[in-house]
Amino acid sequence: MGQAFYVTGTGTDVGKTFFSSLFMAKYAKKFGFRYWKPIQTGTISADDTSFVQNTTHLPDSHFLKPSFEYKTPASPHYAAKLEGQSIDPKTLLALISKERNNNTLIEGAGGVFVPITENYLTIRAIQESNLGVVVVGSTELGTINHTLLTLEVLTSRFIPVYGFYLVGPKNDLQEDNATMIQKLGGVSLLGITNFPEQKLSSDEFTSFASTHFDIDRNVIDVVLNAEDEI
């Protein structure tokens, strides 16, 4: 028995996959976590599942294949439309439901208002999946606004938010950004991890995650404690 959780971001390319790679590198083997991105767009140029696996060098058993894959780097509703397809929300929710009692990190596509279909937003899928959420934001200028907006829309819908985690380049604003988001958003800061200064091998990345990610165990503890509360 385990507990899946959802990773969402304050926007596209904000650092969700970097966060997911860090989490998997540090905790996948120890706690049996798997990575899953149910909806993947932009496969013609990028594949987040392959990126996480190549970065962490974890075996196939720690990864689930995306359930909906599209070539165009665009919103899921549009990427699917270009290929003459559509995503059935009921099918998506049924697939997520099968994972809810497993230790699975579920990474979303973009931010909370990204359309999965023309009438079904990501925020609704998160709400109906009834999973806890970690919000990933940037360390940089603008993150206070973007992160507070994301937290507001989640908490106003009574979605369980485990907290927020900032990732990105190291800068003079990041500590104050984190303090203000926690103060104004009423949600716990889980941690801050800056991008490594150079490209790392998978072994180096695992070492980096061990020493630079979730230093106070806020993320893993809140996820594991959620399982105990079921």
Side-chain angles (χ1 to χ4, degrees), residues 2-4 95-102 129-131 230:
Q3 177 61 35
L95 291 169
I96 293 175
S97 180
K98 290 181 180 180
E99 281 302 308
R100 68 173 299 104
N101 292 326
N102 296 319
S129 70
N130 196 31
L131 294 177
I230 295 176

Side-chain angles (χ1 to χ4, degrees), residues 36 39 68 86-98 116-117 120 124-125 128-129:
W36 183 34
I39 303 173
F68 306 92
S86 63
I87 300 170
D88 179 17
K90 290 184 179 179
T91 299
L92 174 63
L93 290 172
L95 291 169
I96 293 175
S97 180
K98 290 181 180 180
I116 293 174
T117 74
Y120 192 85
R124 185 173 171 187
E128 293 181 342
S129 70

